[in-house]
Amino acid sequence: MTAVSVPARQAGALRQATIALGLAAGPVVALGFTRFAYALLLPPMHQELHWTYAQAGGMNTANALGYILGAATAAHWARRLGGRAAFVGGLAVSALALLATAATATMAVLLALRFIGGFTTAVAFVVGSALAARIASGAVQRRSASLVAVYMAGVGIGVVISGLVVPAALAGGDSGWRLGWLLMGSLAVVALLPAWLGARAVPEATGAHAALLAGGQARRLLPTFIWYVLYGAGYVSYMTFVIALLKSQGLGSSTTALFFVVLGVASVAATLAVWAHVAGALRGGRAPALVAALVFLGVLPVLLMPAGVPAALVSAVIFGASFMAGPTAATVIARRMLPASGWTAGIALLTVAFSVGQAVGPLLSGLLSDGDGGIARGLWLSAVLLVLAAVAALFQREHAAS
């Protein structure tokens, strides 16, 4: 019996990992393309469209505002449409928004498209997180955390793809930003197939799903909410402006592309090999605090070390290995401390907190970058916010799901 059961368990584990990998197409589009590829496209758009850094940051603020609304209503769409339809439908609209971004240079239209993309990718990301958490709903915490980590690894995969594809599009000149958005949109369309295959393999949730958390449940997670606001503001400010900083320091397109690829590879490797285990093993707010502290350390090399390739690559490795552990830790905490009926609502509420930070961070960082001290001054705000996030997380206590 043992000889039969072991291969059966291995086959089941492989199938679960394959499902999670299919769902990972969601973060590839939602964050890898829609959110983070903008860092590569910002410098040529900033130059050709004559933006200030505040305007450039405002583009990500519009995206984050849409993300807030999408995250806040994700549980509603999951209940109304079903989790699978909400996930795939959100990604489909996101792909269309990426394609449409290539067709205009009008600020108001670009802001609207960034808002729409933020809304739909938030719905897809939140619902996809809940789907990933349900792949092995009866499994031990560490197994479930590993599957969530596979899902989150899609972000790093998207960053790597962006780092390879966007610089090639920009090689034709500053107007190549249009081709960059077009390629991201086309790849997002391709990603719909694995996303659909992964989603259809996860059964729809049975029983009633809470649209909102009970007051006591939300209060128990208050330190995590505060951590996520500060963390979102800190990490996304870096991701928005770091390429512009590196270019202002004299690094060329090939180096910034290498930076992005190294960051993405580090994210995938650490998310799968390290954070899948750490997020499930550490109790209370220790995992979020550790994540914020490491991301803070990842910001420092480009601010303190002499400008050049070594500083960029050290930053890419440390930051890349840590930044997507934030959503992994948040999803694991929601799964561990909330009943199954509250997972989608809990992840959605945490993502709203994350999105509030992401809306405010780039705008404040952009305003600081327009003043004396340039982009580096704006990125120091990122470092301060990450330290505050680590402190806030330490106040989170462990609670049993109820």
Side-chain angles (χ1 to χ4, degrees):
M1 181 175 293
T2 303
V4 175
S5 62
V6 170
R9 285 199 301 270
Q10 291 175 337
L14 179 60
R15 179 177 180 275
Q16 291 172 347
T18 302
I19 294 170
L21 191 59
L23 293 175
V28 167
V29 175
L31 294 178
F33 294 169
T34 303
R35 175 59 60 86
F36 297 140
Y38 176 61
L40 289 168
L41 293 161
L42 184 153
M45 294 180 76
H46 173 260
Q47 180 174 337
E48 184 177 325
L49 303 180
H50 308 292
W51 289 348
T52 64
Y53 282 118
Q55 288 175 312
M59 290 288 288
N60 254 9
T61 295
N63 184 261
L65 290 173
Y67 211 86
I68 292 171
L69 183 58
T73 59
H76 164 77
W77 294 114
R79 291 170 66 239
R80 181 173 180 178
L81 303 175
R84 291 177 290 194
F87 174 67
V88 178
L91 291 179
V93 178
S94 301
L96 293 176
L98 288 169
L99 291 170
T101 303
T104 182
T106 303
M107 186 70 172
V109 177
L110 287 171
L111 287 169
L113 289 171
R114 292 292 285 167
F115 177 88
I116 292 169
F119 177 87
T120 54
T121 54
V123 172
F125 184 72
V126 170
V127 176
S129 298
L131 289 172
R134 280 209 311 275
I135 294 173
S137 58
V140 296
Q141 289 289 350
R142 293 193 181 186
R143 175 60 184 162
S144 179
S146 296
L147 294 171
V148 170
V150 171
Y151 172 77
M152 295 297 177
V155 178
I157 295 171
V159 169
V160 171
I161 294 172
S162 300
L164 294 172
V165 171
V166 172
L170 297 178
D174 287 339
S175 60
W177 64 264
R178 294 181 184 272
L179 179 58
W181 286 115
L182 182 63
L183 291 174
M184 292 296 97
S186 300
L187 290 170
V189 172
V190 174
L192 291 174
L193 178 59
W196 174 74
L197 291 173
R200 70 193 291 266
V202 181
E204 288 288 1
T206 57
H209 266 259
L212 297 171
L213 292 183
Q217 293 172 335
R219 283 193 296 273
R220 288 203 303 266
L221 293 175
L222 181 60
T224 298
F225 293 136
I226 296 172
W227 159 74
Y228 223 10
V229 172
L230 295 168
Y231 180 77
Y235 104 94
V236 84
S237 297
Y238 172 95
M239 284 298 292
T240 300
F241 291 110
V242 66
I243 296 297
L245 174 68
L246 297 179
K247 285 187 172 293
S248 73
Q249 293 175 343
L251 300 185
S253 297
S254 59
T255 301
T256 55
L258 176 63
F259 168 89
F260 224 65
V261 171
V262 169
L263 188 150
V265 170
S267 175
V268 174
T271 299
L272 294 176
V274 178
W275 294 110
H277 308 288
V278 172
L282 294 181
R283 314 305 286 178
R286 293 174 185 173
L290 178 61
V291 171
L294 290 175
V295 174
F296 161 74
L297 293 177
V299 173
L300 294 182
V302 294
L303 296 175
L304 297 179
M305 292 176 63
V309 176
L313 293 184
V314 170
S315 182
V317 170
I318 300 174
F319 186 96
S322 311
F323 81 107
M324 276 317 296
T328 301
T331 301
V332 170
I333 285 177
R335 187 188 188 277
R336 189 165 64 219
M337 299 193 190
L338 297 173
S341 61
W343 287 354
T344 300
I347 293 169
L349 190 55
L350 284 167
T351 306
V352 169
F354 193 38
S355 305
V356 168
Q358 291 181 97
V360 174
L363 186 58
L364 293 178
S365 185
L367 288 170
L368 289 173
S369 297
D370 283 325
D372 295 336
I375 303 171
R377 184 185 179 196
L379 289 187
W380 274 112
L381 172 66
S382 175
V384 171
L385 291 171
L386 289 165
V387 171
L388 294 175
V391 173
L394 292 175
F395 287 90
Q396 180 65 62
R397 298 293 178 260
E398 188 75 17
H399 296 282
S402 62

